[in-house]
Amino acid sequence: VLLFDQFAHESDSLVGAEPLRELKTGVKGDFSFSVKTGVYRLEVVPASATRILGHSLSEIKVTTNTNLNISLATGSIVSGRINTLSSSELTVEMLTATEVVVLGIEPSSYKAISPVAEDGSFSLVVPRGKYHIALRCSQPEIDGREILTPAKFKLVSTHSDVITISNDVDLTLEWPELFLFEGEIVDHLGQPVANALVTVGPAASRHSLLLSELSFSAKTISDEGGRFQLSLESGAYDIVIEPPDSL
C-alpha cells in the first residue's frame, strides 16, 4: 500500500513520484498510516503472483482518524512473450530494458505494466475489456538523470495494437523494426557536452493523447564525448535537449 500527497504532483501520473509512506498489509489485509491533516492518494499494488487487480483511491480527505474499507477485484491474466526470432540482433539487454504496457479503451481506462524478462516473457492482470497494448522503454521509478546511463538501450516506439480480453490469454508480440538514432551535443565553442539530458518522443499528432497516456518517450544522457543514441521505430519524433546542471 502506497500513500501519496494528492497535490504534490502536477498530474495524475505517479511515474517518478516518491510515496510518503509504504507498507505491506497484515494477514487480515489491514494497514495503518500516521499522517497529518491533508488530502491523500492511496495506491494498492497486489503481489505479482496473484490475479488481484490494483486499486487507486484519490482525494482522501483526512481531518481526523479515518477508516477505509477497500474491496479488490480479480481480473484476467495477460501473459506471453516477445517473438525473439523476429530479430537476429535482439539481446537480453534490449529485452530487459523494455516493458509491456496496456491501456483500457472500454469499459475503463485501466492501465497495467509488466517488465520483460530475459527470455522475452511478461505477465500482467487486467479487468475484462478492450485495450491498447504496446512495447515501450522501461520507465525508471525515480525520475532523475543520475540514474540514466549513456550506454543503456532505449526503445522509442509509435505502434500499439488493440486486443479484447474476456479470459486469460497468452500472446506473442512482435519486436518492432528499429533504427539507430544517434547524435553529438556540443557547446558554442564546439566542445562536447557530457551528461546532457536527451528526451525523444513521438511528434505531436492526432494520436498525441494516446501516445502520451502510453508514455512512449525515452530519456538518455550524452557520454563524455557528447554522444547519445536511441533505437527508434519508423516515424516522426520530437527531441528536447537539456544541458547538465554544471552549465
Side-chain angles (χ1 to χ4, degrees), residues 79-190:
S79 59
R81 65 182 57 249
I82 295 173
N83 181 10
T84 56
L85 299 178
S86 61
S87 175
S88 60
E89 299 179 355
L90 193 55
T91 66
V92 169
E93 180 189 16
M94 295 164 70
L95 288 170
T96 56
T98 304
E99 59 191 19
V100 177
V101 56
V102 297
L103 178 66
I105 302 172
E106 57 183 14
S108 73
S109 57
Y110 190 90
K111 188 175 183 178
I113 300 165
S114 170
V116 176
E118 292 184 0
D119 62 355
S121 62
F122 63 90
S123 180
L124 41 80
V125 180
V126 298
R128 294 180 180 181
K130 182 182 290 186
Y131 292 86
H132 296 285
I133 184 169
L135 298 175
R136 73 177 189 185
C137 176
S138 295
Q139 306 288 331
E141 294 184 0
I142 303 175
D143 189 15
R145 74 180 65 186
E146 69 276 1
I147 63 172
L148 297 174
T149 58
K152 187 174 181 181
F153 171 80
K154 297 288 184 178
L155 159 73
V156 188
S157 175
T158 59
H159 175 75
S160 67
D161 292 314
V162 175
I163 58 173
T164 299
I165 304 298
S166 56
N167 295 291
D168 293 352
V169 63
D170 186 78
L171 303 173
T172 298
L173 301 181
E174 297 297 325
W175 186 257
E177 182 181 9
L178 299 174
F179 300 91
L180 183 63
F181 176 74
E182 55 187 345
E184 182 180 357
I185 302 171
V186 298
D187 61 18
H188 65 288
L189 297 176

Side-chain angles (χ1 to χ4, degrees), residues 155-156 181 198-202 216-220 228 230 232 236-240:
L155 159 73
V156 188
F181 176 74
V198 181
T199 304
V200 175
F216 272 169
S217 63
K219 297 180 179 182
T220 189
F228 68 90
L230 301 100
L232 310 186
Y237 294 87
D238 292 327
I239 180 170
V240 177

